[in-house]
Amino acid sequence: HSEAHTMTSRVVPLPLPPCVGDKVLCEWRQLYYPAELYDTRGKDNAREYYVHFTEFNRRLDEWVPASRLAMPADGFRRKRKHGEDDHKTDKIEEMTRVKNINTVVLGRYEIETWYFSPYPGEFAKCSKLYLCEFCLNYMDDPLTLERHQKKCTLRYPPGNEIYRHKNLSMFEVDGHRCRTYCRNVCLLAKLFLDHKTLYYDVDSFLFYVLCEVDAQGCHMVGYFSKQPDSVDEYNLSCILTLPPYQRMGYGKILIAFCA
């Protein structure tokens, strides 16, 4: 159980603007919880802080105004600056710990994201990203998506259908032959997987994409990937059921296939 502070117990108003790296208290659902400040944006009264609740999963990280922050009774706890002989901070972790995309539109769903994903260029800075639900190409506005959908001929993952039962199909997609599609799968998956590291080097992997099938096509509900020639003989690299389809038994199907 988290040691939450009540609204009045051991909570001190902020005496001065906090800095990135400070350990503070942050209000959530009328209780205060220990948090660390990861980033800031805006100026003066419009300044916001990106907080990580230290006792909870990073998917709860969010931007908050200063009015939701308070100082612990023992004061700010600031990280010690690293000296020349100290281990250097992991720059990749620093860059990726702040969620960059808030929501993705995929088919009939608008999904709130959980983590950072390294979409290229200007797409990494989009608050909302629009994805073609069949080829998974990404766009920054709904009009571009609409134009793309009129031209996109793909209605199922670009691989071999290896399983079909009622309205479910499983497709095996070769990362070497369908590099763009598999990279798009990885970028989408990273929005919901905290420790996923494979984004672009997909050539040696096979992707197994589970879909719901209707008259419009095959709609991705989840996937797993594996490396057939793994030196360590691992039979699974990544596995994900997309949030709108979780708690529906699809995860068990994916696990059964990769076993």
Side-chain angles (χ1 to χ4, degrees):
H1 294 284
S2 172
E3 296 181 358
H5 298 257
T6 65
M7 292 292 289
T8 56
S9 175
R10 301 191 63 193
V11 171
V12 180
L14 290 175
L16 50 90
C19 300
V20 172
D22 282 353
K23 306 284 188 177
V24 299
L25 298 178
C26 183
E27 183 271 330
W28 186 69
R29 296 185 178 181
Q30 299 183 335
L31 291 175
Y32 280 89
Y33 295 87
E36 181 180 346
L37 302 184
Y38 277 178
D39 201 0
T40 64
R41 67 183 182 189
K43 295 181 179 180
D44 302 325
N45 293 334
R47 184 179 293 274
E48 290 184 312
Y49 300 86
Y50 194 82
V51 299
H52 166 62
F53 295 95
T54 55
E55 299 173 350
F56 297 102
N57 189 280
R58 289 205 318 173
R59 72 176 66 176
L60 294 179
D61 295 1
E62 61 177 335
W63 289 100
V64 302
S67 59
R68 286 181 54 186
L69 302 178
M71 184 175 71
D74 56 355
F76 286 134
R77 288 172 292 164
R78 293 187 169 169
K79 285 186 175 181
R80 179 176 61 88
K81 291 185 178 180
H82 294 285
E84 293 182 359
D85 296 330
D86 292 326
H87 294 290
K88 293 184 178 180
T89 303
D90 188 340
K91 296 299 182 182
I92 296 178
E93 182 181 351
E94 283 190 2
M95 184 178 66
T96 62
R97 65 184 181 179
V98 177
K99 184 171 66 175
N100 55 336
I101 298 166
N102 293 325
T103 57
V104 290
V105 176
L106 183 67
R108 65 181 185 273
Y109 295 108
E110 182 172 326
I111 311 169
E112 184 177 346
T113 64
W114 297 347
Y115 306 110
F116 174 94
S117 183
Y119 279 91
E122 69 275 12
F123 299 104
K125 302 176 182 178
C126 294
S127 176
K128 181 184 292 188
L129 210 56
Y130 298 83
L131 273 62
C132 172
E133 62 177 324
F134 299 115
C135 71
L136 302 181
N137 279 348
Y138 40 88
M139 287 133 268
D140 57 2
D141 67 83
L143 291 179
T144 304
L145 174 62
E146 185 178 345
R147 290 195 295 267
H148 169 85
Q149 289 173 328
K150 292 178 180 178
K151 299 178 181 179
C152 184
T153 59
L154 199 64
R155 288 297 177 268
Y156 53 86
N160 299 319
E161 185 180 23
I162 60 173
Y163 171 83
R164 181 186 298 180
H165 178 69
K166 296 182 179 179
N167 70 326
L168 289 181
S169 287
M170 179 77 80
F171 292 84
E172 181 185 73
V173 185
D174 189 324
H176 177 69
R177 295 181 179 180
C178 306
R179 189 173 297 144
T180 298
Y181 177 85
C182 293
R183 286 175 176 173
N184 288 344
V185 170
C186 291
L187 290 171
L188 172 61
K190 182 60 186 74
L191 293 169
F192 308 103
L193 295 173
D194 191 10
H195 299 292
K196 180 175 176 57
T197 56
L198 172 68
Y199 314 126
Y200 297 106
D201 185 17
V202 298
D203 286 19
S204 61
F205 289 83
L206 293 175
F207 291 75
Y208 295 84
V209 184
L210 182 64
C211 298
E212 281 187 352
V213 182
D214 59 21
Q216 281 71 47
C218 300
H219 311 274
M220 176 182 174
V221 304
Y223 89 105
F224 71 89
S225 61
K226 68 179 183 180
Q227 197 170 19
D229 300 321
S230 172
V231 176
D232 299 314
E233 297 184 353
Y234 294 145
N235 65 337
L236 180 65
S237 175
C238 286
I239 185 169
L240 171 71
T241 302
L242 292 172
Y245 302 98
Q246 291 180 0
R247 300 181 184 274
M248 298 171 66
Y250 292 130
K252 293 180 180 179
I253 296 175
L254 292 169
I255 291 172
F257 265 90
C258 69

